[in-house]
Each structure stands twice: as structure tokens, then as C-alpha cells.
Amino acid sequence: MARTANVFARVEPELKEQAESVLDQLGIPMSNAVGMFLRQIVLQKGIPFEMKLPRTAPLTYGSLTKEQFDKEIEKGMSDVKAGRVYSADAIETEMKRDFGI
């Protein structure tokens, strides 16, 4: 067997459980998944997925003038009138599916 070294990482318990659930379904032990991640870092000479900041910062109430705020409210009302709305339950279901939240 090849020599090994220990890697210790602190993660949120829920995140660990969710990751273990996915890995169990794939038949991959957590230690193998971590090793695969580290190998990809070496092979790609960086993080093996894209990491970037959002192109624009989210709007905050305090950053808007009254005119900008009114324009944003009008856009929202236009979406409501056009039926471009989602229930809170639909959003929650999608967040759980996509992000395990």
C-alpha cells in the first residue's frame, strides 16, 4: 500500500452528511473523494472549478436613489402583472434540490 498522510478539515456537520450521502450513492468513500479533489488541483494547477465574484453586486435599498428604487419596484410589479412569479414553496423546493439548503 502507498504511503499516506492525514488531512484534517473542519466542515459544517450538515454539509458533511449531505456530501457523504451523495458519495455513498456514487460508491466513493470520502477519503477517495478528497484525494480526487487534491489530484485535480495538482493536475490543473489550481482549483478544479470556476470561482468568481458576481458581475454586479446585489442591489441594496440604501444604495438606490428614490428614482432607482421606484424603477425597481415598477420592474417587480411588471413581472407580477405578466405572471412571472414563483411561490415561496417552489423557491424552497428548488433551493433544497440544488443546494441542499
Side-chain angles (χ1 to χ4, degrees), residues 7-96:
V7 175
F8 297 96
R10 292 191 173 276
V11 297
E12 298 165 3
E14 298 83 19
L15 176 61
K16 180 179 180 272
E17 290 172 14
Q18 292 169 359
E20 284 176 330
S21 175
V22 172
L23 292 170
D24 287 344
Q25 293 175 52
L26 294 170
I28 301 172
M30 179 73 75
S31 60
N32 287 23
V34 171
M36 291 164 57
F37 176 68
L38 296 175
R39 280 186 193 88
Q40 285 300 308
I41 289 174
V42 171
L43 288 170
Q44 296 188 29
K45 296 185 179 7
I47 302 295
F49 47 83
E50 190 172 325
M51 294 176 36
K52 59 184 176 180
L53 296 172
R55 291 179 190 206
T56 59
L59 294 177
T60 61
Y61 175 76
S63 70
L64 300 174
T65 64
K66 181 181 180 337
E67 292 77 24
Q68 290 170 321
F69 178 77
D70 290 344
K71 185 176 178 182
E72 290 300 317
I73 292 295
E74 283 300 318
K75 287 194 304 191
M77 294 303 295
S78 177
D79 284 343
V80 169
K81 289 176 186 173
R84 293 185 297 266
V85 296
Y86 304 93
S87 70
D89 290 338
I91 298 296
E92 183 178 353
T93 299
E94 192 168 323
M95 294 292 283
K96 285 179 180 177

